[in-house]
């Protein structure tokens, strides 16, 4: 895609849903460095598991590992087929990151991991923690008092702020969340109730991140979790692939290069879906096909990938305003770091209209009794495109990315929207 008026450019500009498949896909996406980064992150999370289990009792059954179930949703598959008037073939699976313990969204993977990695670095530098020790000791002095003198900062549309705010407060940090204009009021209220400083600029996500980054750089005690540039966030997300592998085996989901597992991931700045994609590709190669799904008004990764321009292009360049009810996906410029890692690895990008998200939200509730937030519904669009374009597949996996902490009144409003 270039700025010339191709059909794809016109569709994106007109906010029409598109399906783009990557012509630059590599035949072998595996590389040793990515495997190492994923395994290193997994080991770190295991070191912290005793502390997590003690601090967040809901993780005790899982031994302090923050993980969500994989469930089969045949009634939703049938309901979608009836609504679209096309067959939905193969098993339909839902990865329930909306129910991830601690913060109820996919951000409980990368966000929490990034804070734990920073914490390990700080404490080992200060000689307050050694790798072979029981990490539960960080709940007490001197580690606790040491962390209370340190600060964290993050820019967010809401869910990353919740994840960092909750884990930051639990560890004793003083945390600031620079929140963008679309953030829901209940998320700000919840953060303030935890003692987190919430900075409301009233601007978009990119501006909120920039302000948080600048303030944090001016303060030597502050560490900025950079959603646009952080390797740690990305690596934390990638560990999802190791967990999913065990779940797919347990559920007897079989697939191969000719009949792949198609995975649909809601995408904002790209870190969450990008980390998960890179992880899955290390394990399965192209027997797993990964697609990012974005709102028609904020398709930043679609633009980055289809144009090959990465973060040099943004939604405003095509006259799109970034306004969407999918608050978790309201990002208008993609992460350059994620773009570089996805260029030859991601199978495709799709976009979806807000009203379709609400239709999926209601249908998932009526067919399966599962309630998730609008952003988290984006993946269902993937099933429709793959079926329509007759892309070979063994099964569909929709990644449900958030909703577990949404208050009931807010959820009822979503169901009636
Ligand atoms: C943040 C978020 C995503 C996407 O993750 P990115 O790293 O921003 O691409 C998807 N769904 C929900 C609910 C989110 O909060």
């Amino acid at each position: 895609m270039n700025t010339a008026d191709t059909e794809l450019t016109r569709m994106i500009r007109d906010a029409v849903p598109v399906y783009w498949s990557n012509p630059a896909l590599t035949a072998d996406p595996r590389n040793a460095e990515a495997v190492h980064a994923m395994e290193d992150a997994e080991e770190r999370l295991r070191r912290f598991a005793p502390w997590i289990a003690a601090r967040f009792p809901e993780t005790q059954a899982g031994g302090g590992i923050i993980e969500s179930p994989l469930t089969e949703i045949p009634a939703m598959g049938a309901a979608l087929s009836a609504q679209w008037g096309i067959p939905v073939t193969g098993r339909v699976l839902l990865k329930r990151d909306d129910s991830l313990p601690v913060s109820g969204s996919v951000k409980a993977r990368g966000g929490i991991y990034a804070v734990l990695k920073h914490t390990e670095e700080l404490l080992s530098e200060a000689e307050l923690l050694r790798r072979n020790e029981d990490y539960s000791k960080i709940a007490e002095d001197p580690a606790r008092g040491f962390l209370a003198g340190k600060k964290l900062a993050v820019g967010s549309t809401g869910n990353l702020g919740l994840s960092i705010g909750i884990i930051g407060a639990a560890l004793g940090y003083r945390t600031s969340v620079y929140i963008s204009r679309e953030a829901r009021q209940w998320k700000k209220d919840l953060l303030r109730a935890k003692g987190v400083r919430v900075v409301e600029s009233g601007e978009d996500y990119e501006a909120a991140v920039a302000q948080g980054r600048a303030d944090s750089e001016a303060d030597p005690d502050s560490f900025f979790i950079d959603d646009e540039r952080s390797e740690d966030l990305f690596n934390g997300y990638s560990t999802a692939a190791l967990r999913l592998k065990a779940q797919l085996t347990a559920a007897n989901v079989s697939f191969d290069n000719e009949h792949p597992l198609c995975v649909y991931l809601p995408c904002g700045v790209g870190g969450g879906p990008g980390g998960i994609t890179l992880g899955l590709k290390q394990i399965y190669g192209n027997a797993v096909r990964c697609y990012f799904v974005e709102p028609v008004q904020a398709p930043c990764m679609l633009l980055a990938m289809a144009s090959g321009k990465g973060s040099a292009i943004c939604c405003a360049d095509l006259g799109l305003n970034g306004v969407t009810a999918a608050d978790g996906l309201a990002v208008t410029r993609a992460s350059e770091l994620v773009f570089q890692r996805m260029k030859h690895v991601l199978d495709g990008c799709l976009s979806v209209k807000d009203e379709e998200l609400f239709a999926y939200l209601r249908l998932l509730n009526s067919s399966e009794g599962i309630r998730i937030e609008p952003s988290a519904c984006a993946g269902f669009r993937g099933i429709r495109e793959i079926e329509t374009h007759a892309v070979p597949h063994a099964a569909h996996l929709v990644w449900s990315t958030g909703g577990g902490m949404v208050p009931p009144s807010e959820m009822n409003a979503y169901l009636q929207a």
Side-chain angles (χ1 to χ4, degrees), residues 105-107 157-160 187 205 227 237 265-274 327-329 331 373 375-376 401-403:
S105 84
V106 66
K107 307 297 194 310
T157 63
N159 283 340
L160 184 61
K187 293 182 184 173
Y205 161 86
D227 202 14
Y237 287 122
L265 298 139
C267 175
V269 74
D327 49 327
L329 315 182
V331 178
E373 63 185 87
S375 299
T401 47

Side-chain angles (χ1 to χ4, degrees), residues 86-159:
I86 56 169
V88 170
T89 57
R91 291 166 77 177
V92 182
L93 303 156
L94 189 68
K95 179 60 177 161
R96 297 289 313 272
D97 275 8
D98 55 288
S99 67
L100 272 178
V102 183
S103 76
S105 84
V106 66
K107 307 297 194 310
R109 299 186 182 280
I112 290 174
Y113 173 74
V115 172
L116 295 177
K117 174 151 188 279
H118 175 64
T119 302
E120 188 181 62
E121 276 162 13
L122 280 181
L123 292 176
S124 38
E125 225 167 87
E127 297 186 6
L128 295 172
L129 186 65
R130 285 193 308 271
R131 290 222 167 171
N132 52 359
E133 283 184 305
D134 177 350
Y135 278 27
S136 312
K137 74 180 269 193
I138 65 176
E140 276 141 46
D141 283 337
R144 176 86 191 180
F146 176 83
L147 294 177
K150 302 289 177 189
K151 298 177 201 162
L152 298 175
V154 68
S156 169
T157 63
N159 283 340

Side-chain angles (χ1 to χ4, degrees), residues 23-285:
L25 190 74
T26 172
D28 187 5
R30 295 175 227 230
N31 80 75
E33 215 176 295
V35 174
H36 174 77
M38 174 167 69
E39 287 173 352
D40 179 58
E42 179 67 12
E43 281 163 29
R44 185 163 292 103
L45 288 168
R46 292 195 182 277
R47 289 198 287 280
F48 276 98
W51 175 77
I52 294 173
R55 188 62 184 72
F56 299 99
E58 68 270 34
T59 66
Q60 260 162 25
I65 294 298
I66 297 169
E67 196 42 72
S68 75
L70 174 69
T71 47
E72 194 145 7
I73 47 167
M76 180 64 172
L80 287 171
S81 170
Q83 189 160 90
W84 293 331
I86 56 169
V88 170
T89 57
R91 291 166 77 177
V92 182
L93 303 156
L94 189 68
K95 179 60 177 161
R96 297 289 313 272
D97 275 8
D98 55 288
S99 67
L100 272 178
V102 183
S103 76
S105 84
V106 66
K107 307 297 194 310
R109 299 186 182 280
I112 290 174
Y113 173 74
V115 172
L116 295 177
K117 174 151 188 279
H118 175 64
T119 302
E120 188 181 62
E121 276 162 13
L122 280 181
L123 292 176
S124 38
E125 225 167 87
E127 297 186 6
L128 295 172
L129 186 65
R130 285 193 308 271
R131 290 222 167 171
N132 52 359
E133 283 184 305
D134 177 350
Y135 278 27
S136 312
K137 74 180 269 193
I138 65 176
E140 276 141 46
D141 283 337
R144 176 86 191 180
F146 176 83
L147 294 177
K150 302 289 177 189
K151 298 177 201 162
L152 298 175
V154 68
S156 169
T157 63
N159 283 340
L160 184 61
L162 274 187
S163 150
I164 304 287
I166 291 170
I167 199 77
L171 284 161
Y173 286 100
R174 282 182 287 159
T175 308
S176 297
V177 175
Y178 292 76
I179 211 136
S180 64
R181 63 185 181 199
E182 46 280 308
R184 312 297 301 170
Q185 188 59 42
W186 68 266
K187 293 182 184 173
K188 298 182 244 183
D189 295 344
L190 197 150
L191 284 171
R192 290 195 171 109
K194 297 212 172 274
V196 172
R197 179 173 158 251
V198 178
V199 184
E200 290 182 77
S201 62
E203 290 187 80
D204 69 0
Y205 161 86
E206 199 182 344
V209 171
Q211 192 193 342
R213 188 189 287 130
D215 284 3
S216 195
E217 273 167 7
D219 180 349
D221 281 332
S222 179
F223 179 71
F224 185 63
I225 288 113
D226 200 326
D227 202 14
E228 290 179 329
R229 305 177 185 173
S230 168
E231 302 253 345
D232 295 342
L233 272 172
F234 189 85
N235 293 335
Y237 287 122
S238 77
T239 60
L242 297 168
R243 315 305 179 47
L244 184 67
K245 182 185 178 204
Q247 294 178 324
L248 288 169
T249 306
N252 264 316
V253 182
S254 47
F255 48 95
D256 55 36
N257 275 31
E258 280 67 50
H259 311 89
L261 172 70
C262 288
V263 180
Y264 316 111
L265 298 139
C267 175
V269 74
I276 293 169
T277 295
L278 197 67
L280 287 173
K281 293 281 185 174
Q282 300 318 303
I283 298 172
Y284 297 112

